[in-house]
Amino acid sequence: MTVEGDRVRGGLVISPANLPTESLPPDAQQALQQALNTVPMLGDRPLYLGIEGSPRIDNSRLVLGDDTRLQVGRINLTVTDIARLTGLDPAQLNEAINLALPEAGITLDGLEFINGEAVLRGETQ
């Protein structure tokens, strides 16, 4: 992960076939399945997922800024693009993320940018 000012950029490599799709909203499940049906080789290969933006914490909730971009392989998508592709509006995308965090045992209290690092305050269970 890199931090420049209040912008965070990071990512990871996943195997789409191993994603726990049952925890995704139905529209996102359908979008993922449609992508895997359209390009079957996606399920068999590692795929880079990255995110870049200026997140903030508001009342213990992670809020992605309007400038957030998601990178899937070599494709860059805005929050608007993701909303259009999944059928979820930006508020629903933020809600899905915030529902997933407690399930992962994470509670957020704050986010600060100090000396080029993003410092999350919170608790893990």
Side-chain angles (χ1 to χ4, degrees):
M1 178 182 341
T2 61
V3 177
E4 296 174 10
D6 67 347
R7 292 189 63 75
V8 177
R9 178 184 300 157
L12 61 119
V13 177
I14 63 157
S15 175
N18 296 332
L19 288 175
T21 56
E22 62 279 352
S23 64
L24 296 173
D27 291 338
Q29 288 179 19
Q30 184 178 4
L32 178 61
Q33 191 58 52
Q34 184 176 3
L36 293 174
N37 289 342
T38 303
V39 186
M41 72 181 111
L42 282 179
D44 299 334
R45 296 183 177 196
L47 181 65
Y48 177 79
L49 289 181
I51 191 165
E52 178 181 349
S54 302
R56 70 181 196 283
I57 305 298
D58 186 13
N59 293 324
S60 299
R61 297 175 63 79
L62 180 66
V63 178
L64 301 177
D66 292 337
D67 65 340
T68 300
R69 298 185 69 76
L70 179 68
Q71 183 178 349
V72 180
R74 295 182 183 200
I75 300 169
N76 284 302
L77 302 167
T78 65
V79 172
T80 303
D81 294 333
I82 297 164
R84 183 177 40 81
L85 291 170
T86 62
L88 301 172
D89 66 39
Q92 290 173 308
L93 291 171
N94 273 312
E95 184 65 24
I97 290 168
N98 283 290
L99 289 174
L101 290 172
E103 289 176 8
I106 299 170
T107 303
L108 299 175
D109 294 325
L111 173 64
E112 293 181 76
F113 297 95
I114 303 171
N115 298 324
E117 293 185 2
V119 179
L120 280 171
R121 288 189 313 271
E123 298 177 18
T124 57
Q125 300 171 352

